Amino acid sequence: MLSSHTLPPLLSLSFLLLTCFLYVVAEEPNLSNKIGQGYRLISIKNAPDGTLVGLLQVKQKNNIYGPDIPLLRLHVKQETENRLRVHITDAEKQRWEVPYNLLPREQPLSVKQNTEWSWSWSRKKNNLISLSNSSELVFSYTSDPFSFAVKRKSNGDTLFDSSSNEFNTLVFKDQYLEISTKLPKDVSLYGLGENTQPHGMKLYPSDPYTLYTTNVSAINLNTDLYSAHPVYMDLRNEGDEPYAHGVLLLNSNAMDVFYRGTSLTYKVIGGVFDFYFFAGPTPLNVVDQYTSLIGRPAPMPYWAFGFHQCRWGYHNLSVVEDVVDNYKKAKIPLDVIWNDDDHMDGHKDFTLNPTNYPHSKLLDFLDKIHSIGMKYIVIIDPGIAVNSSYGVYQRGMANDVFIKYEGEPFLAQVWPGAVNFPDFLNPKTVSWWVDEIRRFHELVPIDGLWIDMNEASNFCSGKCRIPEGKVCPSGTGPGWICCLDCKNITSTRWDEPPYKINASGVQAPIGFKTIATSAVHYNGVLEYDAHSIYGFSQSIATHKALQGLQGKRPFILSRSTYVGSGKYVAHWTGDNKGTWEDLRYSISTMLNFGIFGVPMVGSDICGFYPAPTEELCNRWIEVGAFYPFSRDHANFYSPRQELYQWESVAESARNALGMRYKLLPYLYTLNYEAHNSGAPIARPLFFSFPSYTECYDLNTQFLLGSSLMVSPVVEQGKTQVKALFPPGTWYSLFDLTQTIVSKDGNYVTLDAPLHVVNVHLYQNTILPMQQGGMVSKDARMTPFSLIVTFPAGATDGVAKGKLFLDDDELPEMKLGSGFSTYIDFHATVKEGNVKVWSEVQEGKFALDKGWVIDTIKVLGLSRNGTLTEIEIDGEKQMNILSVEVSTSQHNYLFGHGDGDKILMVGLKRLNIPLGKNFAVTWKMGS
């Protein structure tokens, strides 16, 4: 809804420029902006648990951005072999940190503990060499002025180094913290989101990176958007040896990050320095280590990987029914139908419009779609309408759940008009929220929730009151225009902090179009500190509510996310535009969120506004069909853009989504991997090919898992695509006989007429697939096929794959429940002998479901001739007519194999039970 509820296009594009509250340009760090002389280390000691604890004393006080905190506590701990923590805070007073109950982690020694045993500390000036012999990370320091470095033990690489004459030494004030690190000039950095990066996902020197959750449309470039993820991945290639590591600054306060190619500087307006370093050394290792700290990604239900359709502007239930029917008529798969706030009564959460969405008819509709396996999701915004006859508001007031300003619930305006914002840091609020969701679910059996506007978004700024003598909103003008009586808040240092964030150089006040930063949460916590975790705290409360309903696995889509949000929610990238540029940007943003530990991510297919062209929508569904989260969503003011609106788009959708639905078991297995190791579902190519530097800056291709590469058309008028193929053999998924052999890595020009998207499968892979369907419930009960890929012409090859299956309604996704099966697939070829086999864990679930393997196709086989001596589980099968054998010759689109004739061998009608170990063997005749 305007973006799902954001500013309209013209306002959104010039959002920061139109405000009358413009501030001075944020100062990029340089020697002329020197702030003091830093700190000196005056005491240091190894604590009983192996932690290094020190005291830092300011060297020379100054009042730039406020007075210095005179004494700091340094806390350094090797938390695992691959994770090092460096925590710096006020030695005498407790400071704001991301709440430990929201993001569970080890707590550093308290200020009181410091005082109790600080007398025994020894004074040192020499560097500490290492904290642990088993660690890959080595911490060192310089005493005066204090700086620290983190190095990699295995190769001596410096990963972080805060010592330099080119930037400020450590600065630590109440409302301004600054620290920098030197960087080699040839590193590749990724992360620091959320923003729309025009250069792609790789961080670009001098581009601004501001982290502060803001309701600014995603069509705005280089601007702080809905989420805040102060983490980056550093990828280096030294002597053809790739090394990746990660750096997290766990701080929820607003910050600017300046990347200048050879250094990175953080400027933060509060909190503490709480750095976590992750040793890698592979990109997958980094995400594994990162999500082991912040929380593993949430398990998604199987149906969530189907296709979703939404629009702001489904004015009544008959329109929704018509959409579902038209998808069926067009034979385009559809799993989930969504309502933006059209279903609500006066835009109020947890209500139904009695005229346009009558309760009894809605229940009949849900019974109908639920019976075929389809699902229904609706939106809720955090703002609760101020309305004395509205039960949700009444119960909220009775339980005192709202954020306060000057002792009263903070008044804002969103779609219903005047609203109060729930304070999800308050345990009473969480209980109230859980109960409201329960009540609504009893009214409408929804299958998931969409939490939007949770940056939090406010159509007004400052301190507001409901105007007397006029209706607000009037119902005649745009709903996003502030109609409350408001005045600016400039009297506090929280609403007017000394340092003005926004690295792009144009600043609005920090409380602009959101909750005033001097507003107060539970236990006296200021919005100033907690602002960027608002959506995160709502996600946790919403997840708790849905998990308690019928014991089912929750599905929640959240616009605002923070470090750890992936443990609870999926994310979409907000209000994009129906342009070719936005199509390209969507790929980079999706890949970034995989690094952030939020693998279930996608963008509004065809764009949220304004109208996409027919050609663009064709190409967008060919990309969006392979987003982890695949949803078409459009603006109230845009023309209808459901995929059946154009016959050409419907054809592209049938093609691309048809393949997606065949790949559902693969996507769901990637979901299982993500839940266990954090591994992104959609990945940059460098995740699988970290030694191949040509893919470090590749932004228009991506992998699903480790082996399936999507190379879409993202430019207008193109019927070919120039795609990069890392070294190895690649097979076209839409035509398995089409082969590309990329010896050292090559760009290859592929044909891509309007309805074609190029998807290729890498060598050494076993890909489980099914036969597809119009809804995932049906698709997942069809027979399986296995696609086995060897390097073209290999006489000695190995391939592997895996498959996870479970009862996806259960909250937990794990083996050992009795409702899941895990299978490792293996294949070898050696001198013409081919073997494909499985190793099954917990096979009963798959056996009870009756799943079977119907087809096995083995690609890239060398030698001429026919198959001999086919055996299944040791029994010869050549005389059994039910097994259909076929051979096809591969065609080389690029490159050459090692043999004159490379074959694909297919075995069909195998009827092998999926839940039992099997072995299929044969020999290729001469």
Side-chain angles (χ1 to χ4, degrees), residues 391-405:
V392 179
Y393 173 74
Q394 293 171 342
R395 291 184 289 272
M397 288 296 291
N399 285 281
D400 193 22
V401 303
F402 298 116
I403 294 171
K404 300 291 182 58
Y405 185 84

Side-chain angles (χ1 to χ4, degrees), residues 472-739:
C472 172
S474 65
T476 57
W480 56 82
I481 301 299
C482 179
C483 57
L484 300 178
D485 286 340
C486 304
K487 64 178 181 179
N488 294 333
I489 301 172
T490 58
S491 58
T492 78
R493 61 192 181 103
W494 313 115
D495 298 295
E496 291 281 345
Y499 175 79
K500 312 295 189 261
I501 64 156
N502 197 305
S504 64
V506 181
Q507 293 78 32
I510 194 171
F512 182 74
K513 295 297 181 76
T514 187
I515 301 168
T517 46
S518 55
V520 179
H521 291 255
Y522 178 71
N523 266 355
V525 170
L526 289 171
E527 172 70 9
Y528 180 88
D529 295 311
H531 172 83
S532 286
I533 63 170
Y534 188 83
F536 178 43
S537 63
Q538 185 195 17
S539 296
I540 295 172
T542 307
H543 188 272
K544 180 179 180 180
L546 286 186
Q547 198 163 48
L549 294 176
Q550 302 177 357
K552 291 186 177 182
R553 186 176 303 173
F555 177 83
I556 304 162
L557 185 72
S558 179
R559 193 169 72 178
S560 185
T561 62
Y562 183 72
V563 174
S565 284
K567 183 179 179 181
Y568 306 97
V569 297
H571 175 68
W572 94 108
T573 63
D575 293 358
N576 57 2
K577 207 170 183 180
T579 66
W580 293 94
E581 291 80 9
D582 283 72
L583 170 57
R584 290 191 288 274
Y585 301 152
S586 75
I587 297 174
S588 297
T589 307
M590 168 183 68
L591 297 179
N592 261 331
F593 270 86
I595 293 174
F596 298 152
V598 189
M600 191 63 166
V601 59
S603 295
D604 285 347
I605 293 170
C606 298
F608 181 63
Y609 59 75
T613 65
E614 183 175 347
E615 180 191 3
L616 175 62
C617 209
N618 268 279
R619 294 307 191 185
W620 209 317
I621 186 54
E622 291 171 357
V623 179
F626 300 98
Y627 293 154
F629 171 64
S630 184
R631 184 184 73 159
D632 182 311
H633 179 220
N635 188 314
F636 179 94
Y637 297 98
S638 300
R640 296 285 290 272
Q641 65 181 46
E642 292 85 5
L643 302 180
Y644 55 77
Q645 296 289 346
W646 302 272
E647 179 49 40
S648 71
V649 177
E651 184 176 344
S652 293
R654 286 189 289 268
N655 188 43
L657 288 173
M659 181 58 74
R660 179 188 181 91
Y661 273 63
K662 293 177 183 178
L663 290 169
L664 286 177
Y666 179 66
L667 291 171
Y668 192 68
T669 301
L670 293 176
N671 174 37
Y672 176 71
E673 288 185 22
H675 181 55
N676 281 279
S677 69
I681 296 171
R683 307 173 191 176
L685 268 65
F686 65 74
F687 266 62
S688 288
F689 303 96
S691 299
Y692 188 54
T693 57
E694 284 81 355
C695 64
Y696 285 13
D697 200 16
L698 188 63
N699 299 297
T700 56
Q701 295 170 250
F702 59 94
L703 294 170
L704 292 175
S706 61
S707 306
L708 199 62
M709 183 170 71
V710 183
S711 306
V713 172
V714 291
E715 295 181 75
Q716 184 176 5
K718 300 292 186 182
T719 56
Q720 292 182 319
V721 60
K722 187 178 180 182
L724 180 64
F725 284 83
T729 303
W730 298 84
Y731 300 92
S732 169
L733 194 62
F734 284 92
D735 182 353
L736 295 172
T737 65
Q738 301 298 307
T739 308

Side-chain angles (χ1 to χ4, degrees), residues 39-55:
Y39 286 75
R40 67 169 61 89
L41 181 69
I42 61 170
S43 213
I44 193 162
K45 182 179 176 63
N46 282 316
D49 65 351
T51 305
L52 182 75
V53 184
L55 279 180

Side-chain angles (χ1 to χ4, degrees), residues 31-189:
L31 285 175
S32 64
N33 295 331
K34 202 75 174 174
I35 303 177
Q37 297 182 21
Y39 286 75
R40 67 169 61 89
L41 181 69
I42 61 170
S43 213
I44 193 162
K45 182 179 176 63
N46 282 316
D49 65 351
T51 305
L52 182 75
V53 184
L55 279 180
L56 307 175
Q57 186 178 65
V58 70
K59 294 185 65 174
Q60 183 182 27
K61 294 182 179 180
N62 68 80
N63 288 312
I64 302 173
Y65 301 134
D68 298 278
I69 292 178
L71 197 63
L72 303 178
R73 184 206 61 201
L74 169 70
H75 168 110
V76 184
K77 186 169 184 181
Q78 191 69 50
E79 294 192 338
T80 72
E81 290 185 3
N82 295 297
R83 185 173 82 222
L84 175 73
R85 184 183 190 184
V86 178
H87 184 281
I88 302 173
T89 188
D90 190 331
E92 298 175 335
K93 295 180 181 178
Q94 190 74 38
R95 289 181 61 81
W96 164 260
E97 298 185 49
V98 176
Y100 285 80
N101 64 322
L102 291 187
L103 191 64
R105 60 203 188 278
E106 199 173 315
Q107 294 209 33
L109 295 169
S110 69
V111 173
K112 181 180 178 184
Q113 287 171 305
N114 289 346
T115 305
E116 287 174 349
W117 53 277
S118 62
W119 58 269
S120 64
W121 291 1
S122 61
R123 296 177 183 272
K124 293 184 179 181
K125 292 186 178 179
N126 60 303
N127 290 359
L128 181 72
I129 296 174
S130 180
L131 290 175
S132 169
N133 290 331
S134 63
S135 170
E136 170 64 351
L137 298 175
V138 178
F139 176 84
S140 64
Y141 65 85
T142 301
S143 297
D144 190 3
F146 173 77
S147 65
F148 72 89
V150 178
K151 295 186 177 182
R152 187 186 299 280
K153 182 187 290 185
S154 59
N155 66 357
D157 235 6
T158 299
L159 311 186
F160 194 95
D161 184 358
S162 67
S163 66
S164 177
N165 292 324
E166 298 178 3
F167 43 69
N168 285 317
T169 55
L170 176 67
V171 179
F172 204 116
K173 301 166 183 285
D174 189 26
Q175 289 185 263
Y176 182 79
L177 286 65
E178 181 178 333
I179 196 169
S180 301
T181 178
K182 292 184 287 190
L183 292 169
K185 64 180 180 181
D186 56 351
V187 301
S188 297
L189 301 185

Side-chain angles (χ1 to χ4, degrees), residues 28 42 128 192 236 255 258 262 272 352 391 402 439 495 565 657 841:
E28 189 170 349
I42 61 170
L128 181 72
L192 297 180
R236 308 176 186 184
M255 69 180 76
F258 295 92
T262 57
V272 302
L352 284 181
F402 298 116
R439 290 169 181 266
D495 298 295
S565 284
L657 288 173
Q841 299 180 53

Side-chain angles (χ1 to χ4, degrees), residues 361-378:
K361 290 185 177 180
L362 178 60
L363 292 184
D364 290 342
F365 169 71
L366 295 185
D367 284 344
K368 179 181 176 182
I369 66 169
H370 284 156
S371 69
I372 61 171
M374 284 187 62
K375 306 296 181 180
Y376 177 63
I377 294 175
V378 300

